[in-house]
Amino acid sequence: MKKVIGLMLTLILVLGGILTGCSKKDEGNTVTPDTSKKVKVGFIYVGPIGDGGYTFAHDQGRLFLEKELAGKIEKTVFKESVKEDAAEVDKTCEEMINNGVTVIIGTSFGFMEGMDKSAKKHPEIKYMHCSGYMQETNMSNYFGRDYQVRYLSGIVAGMKTKSNKIGYVAAMNIPECVRGINAFALGVQSVNKSAVVKIIWTNTWYDPAKEKEAAKALLDGGVDVIAQHQDTTGPQIAAEEKGVWSIGYNSDMSKAAPNAYMTAPIWNWGPYYVDQVNKIIAGTWKSESYWGAMDADNAKSIIYLADLTKNAPAGAQAAVDSAKADIISGKNKVFVGPIYDNTGVLKIKEGEVMTDKDMLLFDWFVKGVEGKVK
């Protein structure tokens, strides 16, 4: 992650991709030799599958793949808590390849360089990297337009807050997180012009204690709704203990904070994995840069808003449904002017729509966000 800033200029030249955002021992970490001709898929995770968030969501996608393509592929394998270090990722890829894996899926931005190095050495192996931008003939990158769903979750938060102060625990200071915060804030402002969004950066994807402490600091500052771009339920638990409200991320976090949690942007990786592996089996797979949009059918959508709980405010469901329909139809592009940054500078003119290129390089906060993009 420390190399992100240095890679931004490269991103401008290779806009085919998307910039993102995410232990214990387990039998799934043990890869045994495979002598069959069936596709064998290996997953590389940045955290443990029990994180309750990002890695858990990817692992649900892996299990969905196993179920849907049972008999067509070998049982999938995975390795948890791999460091975002090129040498470590390359080593992990080599271990998987040596044990019969023919498709490697890496699920965190920091895996990009290691996977790219491995892909260049092994043209016979198919690689899929989540949230990066590097691409080879045998390596795709993929992500979803999470900002669309962040906007919807912002509507819920904006309608719920009484203090008009909403807290947001953010992981890494990269365009993916900045983009999500801005979309969330615009959703808030669409229903509550008086509300502000306060940011604390943790500079980590997976650190339950640190995430919880960041949320507590925001709560001590008077916020009454906590949102997050983090991999665990730490911020949700902080909201629960404080007796206020929360919006999760990655997966349904209602069990962690039943009296606080209202909804969450949910990643649904399974259908994409099934589609890609089916193409590999059929011999029709081609490297791509995929940035999937929200779909009206949650089962088909790479990302969607979880069902609202009883904690959500009255009228929120109707407001979310209306905004969702407008986003899917193209009526609401989310980042359409006029939009000012939080210093008062007009960044997007009246009627102007922000390009994918600019969204992938987001380095400023919209009006109403209290925080700095470092």
Side-chain angles (χ1 to χ4, degrees), residues 145-155 183 186-187 190 292-296 303 305 319-336:
R145 294 182 182 270
D146 57 332
Y147 65 91
Q148 296 176 329
V149 184
R150 290 285 191 191
Y151 182 93
L152 300 182
S153 68
I155 291 173
L186 291 177
S190 73
M294 179 172 58
D295 192 276
I303 189 165
L305 191 69
V320 165
D321 289 345
S322 177
K324 179 179 178 179
D326 285 347
I327 290 171
I328 291 173
S329 70
K331 182 178 179 181
N332 181 352
K333 301 289 187 180
V334 179
F335 294 113
V336 57

Side-chain angles (χ1 to χ4, degrees), residues 75-135:
K75 181 177 174 60
T76 62
V77 296
F78 62 89
K79 187 170 184 179
E80 301 171 279
S81 301
V82 176
K83 293 181 180 179
E84 290 183 305
D85 172 80
E88 186 68 22
V89 172
D90 182 35
K91 178 183 175 182
T92 300
C93 290
E94 290 297 316
E95 291 172 351
M96 288 187 168
I97 293 167
N98 288 338
N99 287 288
V101 168
T102 56
V103 180
I104 296 176
I105 298 175
T107 62
S108 192
F109 178 81
F111 295 163
M112 179 171 62
E113 290 184 317
M115 290 184 68
D116 188 67
K117 179 179 179 181
S118 182
K120 288 175 178 175
K121 292 189 296 182
H122 296 282
E124 76 283 6
I125 305 298
K126 302 295 190 296
Y127 296 76
M128 286 175 265
H129 177 241
C130 182
S131 72
Y133 56 80
M134 287 184 175
Q135 186 177 359

